[in-house]
Amino acid sequence: MKKTRLEIEEAVPALKLLGDKARLTILGMLKNGECCVCEFTEVLEMSQPSVSQHLRKLRDAKIVKEDRRGQWVFYSLNESYEAYDLVLGVIDHVSDQSEKIAELERQGKRIECK
Amino acid sequence: MKKTRLEIEEAVPALKLLGDKARLTILGMLKNGECCVCEFTEVLEMSQPSVSQHLRKLRDAKIVKEDRRGQWVFYSLNESYEAYDLVLGVIDHVSDQSEKIAELERQGKRIECK
DNA sequence: TACTTATATAATTATATGATTATATAATGG
DNA sequence: CCATTATATAATCATATAATTATATAAGTA
């Protein structure tokens, strides 16, 4: 794991955002690559506006970046984020979320976004 | 760095507590060994009750443990905490707080606790 | 153009959080 | 026992946060 040292003031906003079930799950999903918004709403079983607002916070903080492709918006981890190493480190400590995405795949719910 | 995988539900409460300037500083200070409450209040420049309440949260969550010695209470990281590896990992990403303790030492403000 | 799907935003409201002030407890020294 | 020092707790209040509902935007399609 990398050793980029952050000032407390830089780390706190990132950690504040990580300390939420929805957002930590989102980031866990993104560890395996980009996801589209509809996948988050499926996995999180939350309303679309709620997911959208969590994404906005992560986006405003530069933790994730978005990429609109037609109707869909895909999110991914922003490797240029100052606390990227910290975020990755934390994600590495939580259980893999890829199973949840695989589950979507099985249910054919991932196709819709592609 | 260790690889204890936590469920999202276990990691979130820890991260919530880490996402605060006072508490993250406290944990950064504890990385170098135990500290007594008066040291936290000095370094953080916060009121004693405020510090005490942050310590309570960390204690309730089992992130730190306390050890009363006479008039003073010393805190240290709880190595048995389920998310200890996560906490250590995060602390390793923030700048060293030992300088602040050294500064106390220079000002003779650390002696009072010993 | 109208309709649909995907996503974002805004307003509202309920709950959580943190700081302050006052007070309580616990240990120590006269 | 009383006073002092260190720490904890409780009550209050202001602010932050998250979910919901309604609405807006943006892209695709008939």
Side-chain angles (χ1 to χ4, degrees):
Chain A
M1 189 48 47
K2 289 84 155 219
K3 274 283 151 57
T4 310
R5 287 281 163 76
L6 300 164
E7 292 308 314
I8 298 277
E9 287 76 9
E10 295 169 321
V12 162
L15 292 167
K16 244 188 243 282
L17 291 174
L18 293 174
D20 174 273
K21 181 175 175 175
R23 291 189 295 261
L24 190 59
T25 306
I26 287 172
L27 295 173
M29 289 169 70
L30 292 181
K31 182 188 171 188
N32 307 292
E34 62 177 17
C35 292
C36 108
V37 178
C38 62
E39 294 174 320
F40 298 132
T41 54
E42 278 293 337
V43 168
L44 296 171
E45 294 178 298
M46 302 177 77
S47 71
Q48 176 269 317
S50 193
V51 169
S52 193
Q53 299 195 67
H54 284 298
L55 288 169
R56 170 141 80 140
K57 287 183 184 184
L58 292 171
R59 187 162 23 92
D60 286 351
K62 314 268 191 235
I63 296 180
V64 302
K65 46 188 192 187
E66 66 174 353
D67 178 27
R68 178 176 276 273
R69 288 186 222 137
Q71 227 169 343
W72 299 286
V73 179
F74 289 81
Y75 281 87
S76 57
L77 294 177
N78 173 16
E79 299 179 15
S80 309
Y81 175 52
E82 64 174 8
Y84 175 67
D85 292 351
L86 172 65
V87 171
L88 260 200
V90 169
I91 294 176
D92 271 339
H93 277 282
V94 303
S95 69
D96 196 6
Q97 300 301 306
S98 62
E99 177 49 40
K100 292 179 183 162
I101 297 177
E103 179 62 24
L104 283 187
E105 204 112 33
R106 253 175 264 125
Q107 299 174 350
K109 284 180 178 165
R110 206 166 188 230
I111 314 301
E112 301 164 36
C113 295
K114 289 291 163 62
Chain B
M1 191 47 48
K2 287 83 153 225
K3 273 286 150 54
T4 311
R5 286 280 162 76
L6 301 164
E7 293 307 314
I8 298 275
E9 287 76 9
E10 294 169 321
V12 163
L15 292 167
K16 244 188 243 282
L17 292 174
L18 294 174
D20 174 273
K21 181 174 176 176
R23 290 189 297 260
L24 191 58
T25 304
I26 287 173
L27 295 173
M29 289 169 71
L30 292 181
K31 181 188 171 188
N32 307 292
E34 63 177 16
C35 292
C36 108
V37 178
C38 61
E39 294 174 320
F40 298 132
T41 54
E42 277 294 338
V43 168
L44 296 170
E45 294 178 297
M46 301 176 77
S47 71
Q48 175 270 318
S50 193
V51 169
S52 194
Q53 299 195 67
H54 284 298
L55 288 169
R56 170 140 80 139
K57 288 183 185 184
L58 293 172
R59 187 162 24 94
D60 286 351
K62 313 267 192 236
I63 296 180
V64 302
K65 46 188 193 189
E66 64 173 355
D67 178 27
R68 179 177 274 272
R69 287 187 222 138
Q71 228 169 342
W72 300 285
V73 178
F74 290 81
Y75 282 86
S76 57
L77 294 177
N78 174 15
E79 299 180 15
S80 310
Y81 176 52
E82 62 173 8
Y84 175 67
D85 291 350
L86 172 66
V87 171
L88 261 200
V90 169
I91 294 175
D92 271 338
H93 277 282
V94 303
S95 70
D96 196 6
Q97 299 304 117
S98 62
E99 178 47 40
K100 293 180 182 162
I101 297 178
E103 179 62 24
L104 283 188
E105 205 112 32
R106 252 174 267 126
Q107 299 174 348
K109 284 180 177 165
R110 204 163 190 232
I111 314 301
E112 301 165 35
C113 296
K114 287 292 165 61

